[in-house]
């Protein structure tokens, strides 16, 4: 067994990252969260659990994922070397599977036969449905009606895998509402249901547990970079942030290095049509501190505390909050969060596709766009690692629609 | 605590005492502020207040994850009609001018944080609010809110559920100053088919061991019959979704309230 789950100094014993995090949930769930926390603390020390997870990550998920030097993107930017951490090579096509398999294994350990999940882009739903199929669990996935429209292919995959996809039409019919419905299901069926949460959000211990399960991304990056560059630490790491799980997975193994030894950690938030337009999903740049889905975090909410519907071209980033550990990183300067618009993400997607033959997920395209800007300001001996959180197959229909609309607008102009 | 500071606590306890003296469980109807619209809300509230021992008014919220579809829908309608947090408190101040019945506010924590806990408490106390019910705030998450409420003369109510361990019940009961709210089922608010009240006796037995305040039961109470079952065990009965459903179905809310209030008799 080679896998170990790293121990980080955060959160504190109340599940707080500074003022962020916590457990703002109905009392019904508190005993279940305590039970989950105990089960997780035991599992993470148990060689049997770690051996099984390690085996599945290698043989089923296809880990380690390659660290790929993107030569043509590097040339295009004309500065720092750009490496892509290829989470798009994971089985089911994104980083989400790392966390889902681990949580599903935990569900089995805890004797739960039914799992539920929320999904935006559908990647977490597909990963949950996959893990449930593999481990023989019943699976219900909550998905907003709007996302069901945008991600038809993933809906079909989930159903083929035997999961029930429940369409959510309350609120804005997107990820935040799917999350509300999943939490309501959990409140109702808490005694026999395991909630597989898809990002580093939600009540404690979810943000910590999901981070630990995604840390494999950053842990691999260390030794892979050592092998090719002779050093574990790059100059910068760029990752897209919805709830923030792929970003925390690559950040956390570096985030607790002392000042001066830490790489620049940069999360790209979905700026939609622009932070100034109000049509965006940039919680740090355009939000304020509030509470949603059990956790205190930066949140898009108005001055009465009503949640402001987010907007992003990518369903996976279309979330009004950002995980509590990111909030702490943002306030302490451990990481920076930069807005990237829909149009810039589309540009990132097209550049990556044409120059490298890799179609990235629209989510990841936000990170790629910013990495290209950043690389151009850096020296050729410097190194940037971009977390390519997933592949773009799920997005091609939506991208085709958007590019056609763009062309039509150009013609008529 | 001086008498003036314990205003809400004293008023709420007096209401429970009166009900007990009359051999009843206190009847606690719930309504979302601004539902079905801002014009008609006062008449709906009046109809409920005519029978209520304590009235529960909900601040409409965009993401009420402890509530079922009925209350969520009522919130959406109220928000679309312009009922904000501040407007809710004005609506309560207007009710206060006509009624002596204690009024408690049900709110998720985000509206409190958004307005600012200190400012929120000041506004609520000014409007005549006697207490707060906080469905997404376990008491060990944030003691500041309870302390500020007390400073402003208001009571706080936290919730227990059938899943609560004895340790949790002790902690939650110890934090309540108004009444303790026992959730009858594992689940969200909403009137249910049948009466799923099987877990209530055991939970109440536990609650009685620790609570120094009255214990009310809610979630799923929908008519006089379910109210009667609960009233034999609890000090108070909370009914919400049934009234929202009644309004949507064009039924007479006052008549339903009268019948459920009758059901709250202990016999
Ligand atoms: C490919 C991909 N990247 C990123 C995300 C956003 O999730 P997170 O911010 O938790 O990494 C998603 C979510 O669906 C996704 O599918």
């Amino acid at each position: 067994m080679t896998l170990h789950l790293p121990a980080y100094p955060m959160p504190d014993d109340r599940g707080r990252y500074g003022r962020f995090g916590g457990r703002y949930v109905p009392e019904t769930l508190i005993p279940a969260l305590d039970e989950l926390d105990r089960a997780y603390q035991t599992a993470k020390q148990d060689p049997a659990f770690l051996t099984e997870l390690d085996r599945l990550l290698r043989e089923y998920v296809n880990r380690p994922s390659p660290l790929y030097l993107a030569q043509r993107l590097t040339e295009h930017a004309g500065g720092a070397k750009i490496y892509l951490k290829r989470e798009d090579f994971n089985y089911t096509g994104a980083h989400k599977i790392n966390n889902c398999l681990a949580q599903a294994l935990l569900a089995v350990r805890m004797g739960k036969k039914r799992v539920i999940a929320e999904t935006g882009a559908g990647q977490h739903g597909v990963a949950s449905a996959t893990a449930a199929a593999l481990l023989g669990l019943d699976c219900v996935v909550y998905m907003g009606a709007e996302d069901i429209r945008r991600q038809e292919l993933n809906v079909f995959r989930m159903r083929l895998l035997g999961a029930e996809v429940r369409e959510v039409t309350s609120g804005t019919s997107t990820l935040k509402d799917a999350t509300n419905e999943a939490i309501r299901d959990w409140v109702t069926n808490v005694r026999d249901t395991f909630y597989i949460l898809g990002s580093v959000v939600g009540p404690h211990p979810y943000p910590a547990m999901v981070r630990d399960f995604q840390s494999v991304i950053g842990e691999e990056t260390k030794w892979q970079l050592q092998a090719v560059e002779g050093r574990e630490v790059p100059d910068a790491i760029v990752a897209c942030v919805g709830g923030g799980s792929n970003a925390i997975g690559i950040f956390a193994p570096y985030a607790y290095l002392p000042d001066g030894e830490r790489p620049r950690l940069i999360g790209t938030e979905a700026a939609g049509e622009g932070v100034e337009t109000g049509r965006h999903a940039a919680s740090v740049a355009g939000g304020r501190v509030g509470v949603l889905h059990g956790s205190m975090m930066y949140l898009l909410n108005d001055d009465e505390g009503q949640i402001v519907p987010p907007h992003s071209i990518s369903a996976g980033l279309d979330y009004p909050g950002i995980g509590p550990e990111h909030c702490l990183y943002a306030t302490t300067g451990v990481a920076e969060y930069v807005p990237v618009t829909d149009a810039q993400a589309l540009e990132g997607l097209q550049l990556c596709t044409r120059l490298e033959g890799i179609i990235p997920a629209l989510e990841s395209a936000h990170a790629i766009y910013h990495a290209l800007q950043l690389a151009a300001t850096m020296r050729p001996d410097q190194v940037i690692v971009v977390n390519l959180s997933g592949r773009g197959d799920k997005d091609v229909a939506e991208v085709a629609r958007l590019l056609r609309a763009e062309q039509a607008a150009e013609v008529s102009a | 605590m001086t008498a003036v500071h314990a205003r809400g606590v004293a008023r709420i306890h007096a209401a429970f005492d009166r009900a007990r003296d009359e051999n009843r469980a206190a009847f606690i109807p719930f309504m979302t502020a601004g539902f079905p619209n801002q014009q008609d809300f006062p008449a709906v509230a009046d109809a409920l207040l005519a029978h209520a021992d304590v009235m529960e008014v909900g601040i409409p919220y965009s993401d009420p994850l402890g509530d079922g579809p009925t209350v969520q829908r009522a919130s959406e309608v109220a928000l679309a009609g312009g009922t904000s947090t501040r407007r809710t408190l004005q609506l309560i101040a207007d009710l206060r001018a006509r009624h002596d019945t204690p009024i408690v506010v049900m709110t998720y924590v985000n509206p409190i944080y958004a307005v600012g806990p200190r400012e929120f408490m000041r506004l609520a106390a000014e409007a005549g609010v006697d207490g707060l019910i906080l469905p997404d705030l376990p008491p060990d998450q944030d003691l500041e809110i309870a302390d500020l409420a007390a400073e402003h003369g208001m009571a706080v109510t936290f919730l227990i559920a059938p899943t609560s361990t004895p340790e949790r019940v002790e902690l939650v009961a110890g934090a309540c100053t108004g009444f303790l709210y026992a959730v009858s089922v594992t689940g969200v608010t909403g009137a249910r088919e049948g009466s799923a009240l099987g877990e209530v006796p055991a939970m109440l037995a536990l609650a009685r061991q620790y609570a120094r305040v009255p214990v009310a039961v809610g979630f799923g109470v929908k008519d006089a019959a379910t109210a009667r079952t609960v009233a034999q065990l609890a000090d108070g009965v909370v009914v919400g979704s049934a009234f929202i459903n009644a309004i949507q179905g064009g039924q007479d809310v006052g008549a339903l309230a009268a019948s459920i209030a009758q059901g709250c008799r202990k016999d």
Side-chain angles (χ1 to χ4, degrees), chain A residues 93-96 120-124 198-200 240-247 316-317 361 363-364 389-391 394:
Chain A
H95 67 293
K96 299 283 181 188
Q123 289 305 98
H124 176 62
S199 194
V200 283
C240 67
V241 183
S245 69
N246 87 86
L317 303 186
E363 290 82 2
S364 319
S389 58
R391 59 187 161 96
K394 68 180 173 58

Side-chain angles (χ1 to χ4, degrees), chain A residues 186-347:
Chain A
W186 202 36
V187 171
T188 306
N189 301 297
V190 61
R191 287 182 171 120
D192 62 7
T193 295
F194 188 104
Y195 180 14
I196 302 185
L197 221 160
S199 194
V200 283
V201 299
H204 176 68
Y206 280 105
M209 183 173 71
V210 176
R211 168 199 64 196
D212 295 354
F213 291 149
Q214 291 293 5
S215 286
V216 66
I217 305 172
E219 293 293 336
E220 285 175 6
T221 302
K222 282 188 192 166
W223 59 258
Q224 289 173 321
L225 205 58
Q226 179 69 44
V228 289
E229 291 285 334
R231 54 176 166 135
E232 283 192 346
V233 184
D235 296 285
I237 298 177
V238 185
C240 67
V241 183
S245 69
N246 87 86
I248 218 88
I250 196 163
F251 289 177
Y254 293 101
Y256 294 95
L257 291 173
D259 286 347
E261 289 174 35
R262 203 169 43 235
R264 276 183 76 182
L265 302 175
I266 303 167
T268 55
E269 297 194 293
E273 293 169 13
V275 175
E276 69 293 343
T277 65
R279 298 255 307 146
H280 63 84
S283 314
V284 175
R288 55 165 104 190
V289 177
V291 171
L292 183 68
H293 300 146
S295 178
M296 185 172 283
M297 57 190 173
Y298 284 108
L299 184 63
L300 305 183
N301 65 138
D302 66 19
D303 58 12
E304 295 267 346
Q306 307 296 341
I307 307 307
V308 174
H311 163 80
S312 168
I313 192 175
S314 62
L317 303 186
D318 207 351
Y319 185 73
I322 168 172
E325 190 161 0
H326 285 294
C327 298
L328 181 66
Y329 292 176
T331 52
T332 54
V334 165
E336 308 150 58
Y337 297 85
V338 299
V340 173
T341 64
D342 288 350
Q344 291 169 335
L346 261 181
E347 192 183 325

Side-chain angles (χ1 to χ4, degrees), chain B residues 8-94:
Chain B
V9 176
R11 286 165 53 85
I12 290 167
H13 289 185
F16 276 92
D17 286 347
R18 198 175 319 114
R20 196 198 49 222
D21 291 346
E22 293 171 9
N23 203 33
R24 296 183 291 114
F27 169 48
I28 312 173
F30 164 87
M31 186 49 61
T32 301
F35 185 79
N37 53 56
Q38 290 199 39
Q39 292 68 45
D40 296 338
F41 170 78
V44 168
D46 286 344
L48 295 171
L49 277 158
H51 305 280
D53 294 291
V54 176
M55 171 85 192
E56 191 187 326
V57 177
I59 296 181
Y61 183 51
S62 57
D63 290 73
L65 57 76
D67 283 299
T70 303
V71 175
Q72 172 159 30
R73 189 77 200 106
S75 272
E76 283 171 4
V77 169
L79 285 170
T83 308
S84 61
T85 302
R86 286 183 168 82
R87 181 78 189 118
T88 298
L89 296 175
Q90 280 169 13
L91 289 167
I92 291 174
D94 294 346

Side-chain angles (χ1 to χ4, degrees), chain A residues 52 55-56 60 101 105 128-137 161:
Chain A
E52 182 61 1
R55 186 183 73 82
L56 287 175
Y60 194 77
L101 269 178
L105 280 180
S128 298
T130 301
L134 178 70
L135 299 175
L137 301 164
L161 286 158

Side-chain angles (χ1 to χ4, degrees), chain B residues 117-188:
Chain B
R118 198 165 285 279
E119 174 71 355
F120 178 90
M121 297 303 165
R122 193 185 64 76
L123 292 172
E126 218 173 76
V129 171
D130 294 297
L132 302 173
I133 300 177
L134 306 159
D136 64 343
L137 190 73
D140 42 348
Q141 275 304 300
D142 181 340
L143 297 168
E144 190 203 1
I145 284 187
D147 288 346
L148 280 174
E151 242 175 66
H152 287 82
M154 291 182 289
V156 280
T157 282
F158 297 103
L159 291 78
I160 57 168
T163 52
S164 298
T165 57
E167 296 74 43
R168 292 297 304 177
V169 173
E170 182 173 11
L171 181 127
V172 175
C176 292
T177 52
F179 58 94
L180 173 62
Y181 193 141
V183 172
S184 68
V185 290
T186 62
V188 292

